[in-house]
């Protein structure tokens, strides 16, 4: 049987494919996946493996990486085996160190680096590096709740809060942007801002009445709220920010509509979008522009883009499932979304109203609401109203939902889970683990790596300059010596010229002595007379 080992590192965004102990070469058809995030190519992997092994169906795959990525791989392999008749066997899974642990290690490493003068200036003063680190260690993760009018958006958020905080009326209620920052406190602390970002008002014990008045005030642009979000897992390195956005066709301020659009188009931070649909009124409200924008974003970004748009189908409790199946109702929703360009959408049926009543403190419910709550408990204990069965949950999320326990009352726990929102919350948590934390760790790694490279580059330049300076000194010394020799040469030439000018000339005293000597010699020669007179003998000339 053919076998392959796949090791995916979501932090450096690198995948290594190994066959028979050797990494596949750059000419291989799998190599194109090497530096791409797994979610961008996982759906095409089974076909590529089939081609890689010369159309042999029997393939064994081992995987090294995060559990969430392993689950994605497992689901794609199972789909290929079912739909295309392949025989791909996922044999072995080797988990890697948890992201939380890695992020903590990188944070400690950066804190240590900041104490070193060589790196500190790069980590603090380089705007690009600083922005990368700020992004990596910004704990806020955005979830935007988007919808058109009367979809039950405010009720949905109140259900997530486990408290009636946001105004929930039959008419359009969201005229401002409300951001809810998840904290461990028990009370809700509110801040009201105008369009210039100026703080107008603050309240340390915010309630629905005060928030309703703030929302109606014409000078309110944004409301920030700090307080607990009931069903979300608390993480030390992640703070959920749940934003209630005005519908694009429901804002008294055009900038709000543009801001809502920008949330959908933000492919840098990749915030999670919860798009709330009214199951009983599909197509009545003007969704088309908004859904068209969502469709374009999904087409551009692959699996991650698809994963970040969750279509929450509210008010599914209003279906009479003895007369109409939930599968058919959800099929209508999918058809509606596909008509708007969203293919194979992630659809989650819920009842926000039921969840809100079951989570709320019973003392804060009216007698009519308490009766409805009991009715919902009975309704969601029926098998037909188990919405979890109709959700595209991963194996990991399904296990988490199954183990959830909120109350001592088992029937209340079961009914609450079946109403749908707890599973949506678990999907949010999985998205954070699968995408947000690896993205942040990757940003931290990239920023730190750039700081190190810049510091090393500077060190190399300094060493080079020191070497150049040493070489320059040698060159300058050589030039100086040559100049001295040249000057000496000039002096020699001058001396030689003087000699030439004085050629044939002797000192005066020497000339006088020679002249006297010549006179003496002439006198002696004269006195000697004719040599013939001396019998032909020469008289020796003595110069004494």
């Amino acid at each position: 049987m053919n076998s392959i080992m796949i090791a995916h590192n979501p932090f450096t965004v690198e995948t290594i494919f190994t066959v028979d102990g050797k990494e596949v070469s750059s000419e291989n058809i799998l190599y194109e996946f090497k530096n791409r995030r797994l979610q961008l190519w996982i759906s095409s992997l089974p076909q590529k493996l089939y081609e890689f092994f010369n159309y042999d169906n029997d393939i064994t795959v081992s995987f090294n990486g995060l559990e969430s990525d392993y689950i994605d791989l497992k689901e794609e392999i199972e789909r290929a085996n079912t739909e295309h008749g392949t025989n791909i066997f996922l044999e072995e899974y080797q988990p890697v160190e948890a992201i939380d642990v890695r992020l903590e290690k990188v944070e400690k490493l950066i804190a240590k680096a900041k104490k070193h003068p060589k790196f500190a200036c790069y980590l603090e003063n380089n705007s690009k590096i600083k922005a990368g680190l700020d992004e990596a260690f910004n704990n806020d993760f955005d979830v935007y709740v988007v919808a058109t009018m009367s979809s039950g958006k405010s009720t949905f958020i109140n259900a997530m809060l486990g408290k009636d905080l946001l105004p929930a009326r039959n008419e359009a209620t969201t005229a401002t942007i409300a951001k809810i920052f998840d904290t461990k406190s028990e009370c809700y602390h509110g801040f009201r801002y105008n369009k210039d970002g100026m703080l107008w008002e603050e309240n340390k014990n915010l309630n629905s009445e005060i928030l309703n008045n703030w929302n109606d005030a014409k000078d309110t642009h944004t409301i920030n709220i700090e307080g607990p979000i009931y069903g979300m897992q608390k993480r030390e390195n992640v703070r959920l920010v749940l934003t209630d956005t005005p519908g694009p066709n429901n804002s008294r301020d055009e900038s709000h509509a543009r801001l809502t659009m920008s949330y959908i188009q933000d492919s840098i931070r990749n915030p999670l979008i919860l798009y709330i649909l009214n199951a009983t009124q599909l197509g009545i409200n003007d969704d088309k522009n908004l859904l068209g924008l969502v469709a374009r974003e999904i087409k551009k970004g692959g699996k991650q883009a698809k994963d970040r748009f969750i279509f929450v189908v509210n008010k599914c409790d209003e279906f009479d499932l003895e007369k109409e199946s939930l599968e058919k109702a959800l099929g209508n929703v999918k058809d509606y979304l596909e008509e708007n360009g969203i293919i194979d959408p992630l659809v989650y049926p819920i009842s926000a109203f039921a969840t809100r009543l079951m989570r709320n403190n019973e003392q804060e419910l009216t007698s009519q609401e308490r009766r409805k709550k009991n009715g919902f408990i009975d309704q969601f204990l029926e098998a037909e109203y188990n919405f979890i069965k109709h959700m595209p949950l991963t194996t990991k999320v399904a296990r988490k939902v199954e183990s959830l326990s909120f109350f001592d009352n088992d029937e209340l726990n079961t009914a609450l889970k079946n109403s749908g929102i707890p599973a949506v919350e678990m999907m949010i948590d999985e998205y954070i683990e699968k995408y947000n934390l690896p993205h942040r760790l990757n940003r931290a790694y990239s920023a730190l790596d750039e700081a190190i490279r810049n510091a090393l580059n500077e060190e190399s330049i300094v060493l080079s300059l020191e070497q150049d300076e040493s070489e320059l000194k040698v060159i300058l010394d050589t030039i100086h010596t040559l100049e001295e020799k040249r000057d000496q040469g000039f002096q020699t030439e001058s001396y030689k010229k003087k000699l030439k000018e004085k050629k044939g000339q002797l000192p005066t005293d020497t000339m006088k002595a020679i002249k006297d000597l010549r006179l003496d010699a002439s006198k002696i020669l004269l006195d000697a007379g004719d040599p013939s007179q001396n019998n032909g003998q020469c008289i020796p000339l003595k110069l004494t």
Side-chain angles (χ1 to χ4, degrees), residues 481-535:
T481 301
L482 290 173
E483 286 177 340
E484 286 182 343
K485 289 182 178 180
R486 181 197 63 188
D487 293 342
Q488 289 174 358
F490 287 156
Q491 293 171 8
T492 303
E493 289 298 322
S494 178
Y495 180 67
K496 287 167 68 177
K497 184 178 179 182
K498 289 179 181 179
L499 288 178
K500 286 180 180 179
E501 289 174 352
K502 296 181 178 181
K503 185 178 181 182
Q505 296 184 13
L506 293 171
T508 303
D509 55 345
T510 303
M511 293 293 291
K512 185 178 181 299
I514 293 173
K515 185 178 180 181
D516 291 344
L517 185 60
R518 281 178 176 174
L519 289 172
D520 291 341
S522 297
K523 184 177 181 295
I524 293 171
L525 287 173
L526 288 171
D527 289 344
D530 188 350
S532 62
Q533 294 178 5
N534 296 295
N535 298 319

Side-chain angles (χ1 to χ4, degrees), residues 368-482:
Q368 184 180 16
E369 287 176 330
R370 285 194 289 271
R371 286 194 295 272
K372 287 183 178 180
K373 173 182 175 179
N374 291 330
F376 277 131
I377 292 173
D378 292 338
Q379 181 179 355
F380 283 100
L381 288 175
E382 297 177 17
E384 294 85 353
Y385 288 92
N386 179 359
F387 292 163
I388 299 173
K389 293 190 303 183
H390 303 278
M391 292 182 172
L393 303 180
T394 63
T395 307
K396 184 178 179 180
V397 169
R399 289 199 307 265
K400 281 187 175 181
V401 174
E402 183 64 29
S403 64
L404 287 174
S405 180
F406 303 101
F407 310 104
D408 293 334
N409 185 325
D410 290 340
E411 288 189 346
L412 181 56
N413 273 326
T414 301
L416 176 58
K417 287 188 285 188
N418 290 349
S419 68
I421 287 184
V424 172
E425 292 165 340
M426 292 297 98
M427 286 301 295
I428 294 172
D429 192 64
E430 183 179 63
Y431 184 91
I432 291 171
E433 184 177 336
K434 185 189 293 186
Y435 296 114
N436 179 254
L437 290 176
H439 170 73
R440 287 171 53 192
L441 191 57
N442 180 256
R443 291 295 297 269
Y445 167 81
S446 298
L448 187 57
D449 182 59
E450 184 169 353
I452 292 171
R453 282 190 287 107
N454 286 348
L456 289 175
N457 286 341
E458 181 188 334
E459 187 67 23
S460 297
I461 291 170
V462 170
L463 289 173
S464 176
L465 288 174
E466 289 175 353
Q467 183 177 1
D468 290 346
E469 186 178 353
S470 176
E471 291 177 356
L472 182 60
K473 186 176 184 302
V474 172
I475 292 170
L476 289 175
D477 288 344
T478 303
I479 291 173
H480 182 64
T481 301
L482 290 173

Side-chain angles (χ1 to χ4, degrees), residues 5 8 34 42 51 62 99 167 178 199 202 227 245 255 260 273 285-286 337 360 446 455 522 528:
M5 174 69 187
H8 179 68
K34 181 176 176 64
I42 190 65
E51 294 174 16
S62 299
I99 303 173
L199 179 62
E202 179 180 356
T245 64
S255 68
T260 299
I273 306 294
N285 297 319
D286 184 18
L337 292 173
N360 242 311
S446 298
S522 297

Side-chain angles (χ1 to χ4, degrees), residues 202-213:
E202 179 180 356
N203 190 289
K204 293 185 177 180
N205 194 15
L206 195 65
N207 56 41
S208 59
E209 183 179 354
I210 295 170
L211 195 56
N212 193 40
N213 292 333

Side-chain angles (χ1 to χ4, degrees), residues 145-160:
V145 186
V146 177
T148 51
M149 294 190 328
S150 305
S151 59
K153 177 160 59 74
S154 296
T155 303
F156 172 80
I157 293 175
N158 284 336
M160 285 192 68

